[in-house]
Amino acid sequence: MSDFTPGLIIGLFALLTTLIVIAMLALNRFLGNFHRRHDQEQPFESGLLPSGNTQHHFAISYYLIAAAFLIFELEAAILWAWAVSYWSLGAPGVIAAVTFMTILLLGLVYMIRKGSFNFRT
């Protein structure tokens, strides 16, 4: 067996990985012939010059709905894993799943009461 502990091996791996990434970025910067030109940073619209304002403003409710979707999609994935091992978990597993669903239900009620799902633009 070697004298290296798992923590030391992981630390050395993280250090080596970080050094390789930094070296690759530095080589790219120095060897890449990078020059900023204004004409290359302009958006390309079928050979025409850009016209009008390209910034669109979205209501914050769209982002809140997207965040809620991600949270409840993750909940479905976690509950799927719980359902697969339902019989082996026993009563503690059921209590943990009910607690998990209750916390998420309280979060949903909070979001509804705060008006996160009102579609006003």
Side-chain angles (χ1 to χ4, degrees):
M1 204 84 197
S2 68
D3 294 333
F4 295 114
T5 62
L8 181 64
I9 292 172
I10 291 172
L12 288 173
F13 179 74
L15 180 67
L16 182 65
T17 305
T18 304
L19 290 175
I20 289 172
V21 168
I22 290 172
M24 290 173 66
L25 289 173
L27 282 173
N28 182 31
R29 180 73 174 167
F30 293 128
L31 300 176
N33 196 16
F34 179 75
H35 301 288
R36 294 190 95 125
R37 290 184 20 201
H38 181 70
D39 59 339
Q40 289 181 342
E41 294 180 3
Q42 294 297 317
F44 182 75
E45 295 181 5
S46 301
L48 302 174
L49 293 176
S51 61
N53 188 6
T54 59
Q55 295 179 355
H56 300 286
H57 299 285
F58 294 104
I60 190 70
S61 63
Y62 293 114
Y63 299 107
L64 293 174
I65 291 170
F69 173 77
L70 291 174
I71 290 168
F72 290 110
E73 186 69 22
L74 182 63
E75 173 199 13
I78 291 171
L79 288 177
W80 182 267
W82 171 80
V84 168
S85 60
Y86 172 76
W87 294 111
S88 64
L89 292 176
V94 173
I95 292 170
V98 168
T99 304
F100 178 69
M101 286 187 285
T102 303
I103 291 170
L104 286 172
L105 181 65
L106 290 173
L108 179 63
V109 169
Y110 175 78
M111 288 180 71
I112 291 171
R113 292 192 68 179
K114 283 293 189 178
S116 296
F117 301 117
N118 293 340
F119 295 108
R120 286 179 270 142
T121 57

